[in-house]
């Protein structure tokens, strides 16, 4: 934020102003919008929800219970306690209720996929479907500067043009069933959000998801932290200048809008969306694994 020491009150004020400026400057939403905030129970998403509520935005939280043992149980408890203490509306969706055997450990076991690969797909579908179902027009997530820089590094290392085309702090809907997706913390560092959460007395899940061990994203973050230590400001300029200089070039290549999934009706680039294909694969493999009489 600044290379200066601040007292608690000033830090909180500056942090909240910075987030509010990011929302206004990028035309993310206004106080007349009702924003759905994806909350995992971690510091970033709870800090985001806290700031938005304090700034007078209309918000509802959405927590997805992923079925990852103690980690998911703790995440849900912390999120529910946060919402209850502040009188904020919260929607909780348990993956077991979305589709049978779709918890992250079950999907990983049946499909032999890495848990995070399935998790990303499932979360994206559930967030989109819930936003549509409840009539929200904006979906906000707590991705911070460190997340954005690591994602950008991964996308550049593999020249993922499709992903680079979609890496924006405000992603406008390309289908009537999508809502606007925003990342108000995209220029706010992990250190700043952790400090804000701590100074605001937010009780968040400190443990990382057990499946994050060995994740490539963590390697990218470690590399970026080394660069940042030698060259302060690297992460910020990497993400900010990408948005300013290169992102519009990639965004201009996004010209094929998705159709409708033949199974669930949500937007899809194939006949069946990746979520429904995954559910079908899990159910087929589960049936095959059943002992025959
Ligand atoms: S929750 Fe899901 Fe993360 Fe856990 S399984 Fe991987 S993607 S690490 S943000
Ligand atoms: Zn589908």
């Amino acid at each position: 934020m600044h290379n200066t020491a601040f007292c608690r009150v000033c830090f909180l004020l500056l942090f909240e102003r910075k987030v509010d400026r990011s929302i206004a400057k990028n035309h993310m939403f206004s106080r007349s919008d009702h924003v759905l905030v994806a909350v995992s129970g971690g510091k970033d998403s709870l800090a985001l929800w806290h700031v938005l509520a304090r700034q007078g935005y209309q918000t509802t939280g959405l927590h997805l219970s992923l079925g990852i043992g103690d980690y998911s149980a703790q995440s849900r408890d912390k999120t529910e306690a946060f919402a209850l203490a502040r009188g904020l509306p919260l929607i909780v969706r348990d993956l077991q209720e979305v589709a049978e055997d779709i918890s992250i450990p079950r999907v990983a076991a049946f499909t032999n996929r890495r848990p995070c690969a399935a998790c990303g797909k499932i979360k994206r579908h559930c967030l989109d479907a819930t936003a549509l179902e409840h009539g929200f027009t904006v979906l906000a997530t707590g991705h911070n500067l460190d997340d954005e820089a690591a994602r950008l590094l991964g996308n550049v290392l593999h020249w993922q043009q499709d992903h680079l085309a979609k890496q924006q702090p405000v992603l406008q809907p390309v289908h009537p069933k999508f809502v606007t997706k925003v990342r108000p913390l995209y220029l706010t560092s992990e250190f700043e959000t952790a400090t804000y959460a701590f100074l605001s007395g937010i009780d968040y899940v400190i443990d990382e998801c057990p499946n994050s061990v060995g994740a490539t994203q963590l390697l990218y973050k470690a590399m970026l932290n080394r660069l940042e230590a030698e060259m302060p400001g690297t992460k910020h300029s990497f993400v900010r200048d990408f948005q300013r200089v290169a992102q519009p070039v990639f965004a201009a290549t996004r010209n094929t809008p998705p159709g409708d999934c033949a199974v669930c009706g949500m937007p899809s680039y194939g006949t069946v969306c990746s979520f429904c294909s995954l559910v079908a694969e899990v159910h087929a493999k589960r049936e095959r694994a059943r002992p025959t009489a």
Side-chain angles (χ1 to χ4, degrees), residues 203-220:
D203 184 18
Y204 58 86
V205 187
I206 293 170
D207 293 344
E208 296 285 342
C209 170
N211 297 321
S212 66
V213 178
T216 324
Q217 193 83 345
L218 293 184
L219 174 64
Y220 295 153

Side-chain angles (χ1 to χ4, degrees), residues 257-280:
D260 293 350
C261 168
V263 179
C264 69
M266 288 300 287
S268 171
Y269 286 94
T271 315
V272 175
C273 76
S274 55
F275 172 77
C276 291
S277 306
L278 184 67
V279 172

Side-chain angles (χ1 to χ4, degrees), residues 218-267:
L218 293 184
L219 174 64
Y220 295 153
K221 282 189 177 179
M223 299 310 293
L224 286 159
N225 283 340
R226 283 189 61 189
L227 282 172
E228 185 77 24
E230 296 290 328
M231 297 183 287
T234 297
K235 285 184 232 176
H236 190 273
S237 56
F238 185 41
V239 171
R240 184 201 54 202
D241 294 346
F242 165 70
Q243 291 301 335
R244 205 163 46 86
V245 180
Q247 210 287 328
V249 178
F250 290 102
T253 63
R254 276 186 94 194
N255 48 17
T256 324
D260 293 350
C261 168
V263 179
C264 69
M266 288 300 287

Side-chain angles (χ1 to χ4, degrees), residues 66 68 71 104 115-117 119-120 123 209-213 215:
L66 304 173
I68 308 174
Y71 168 74
I104 304 306
C116 296
C119 187
K123 283 197 289 197
C209 170
N211 297 321
S212 66
V213 178

Side-chain angles (χ1 to χ4, degrees), residues 90-108:
L90 173 68
I91 300 168
V92 176
R93 293 201 78 177
D94 193 322
L95 292 191
Q96 288 300 348
E97 292 155 18
V98 176
E100 212 185 326
D101 273 327
I102 211 73
S103 73
I104 304 306
R106 300 282 285 171
V107 173

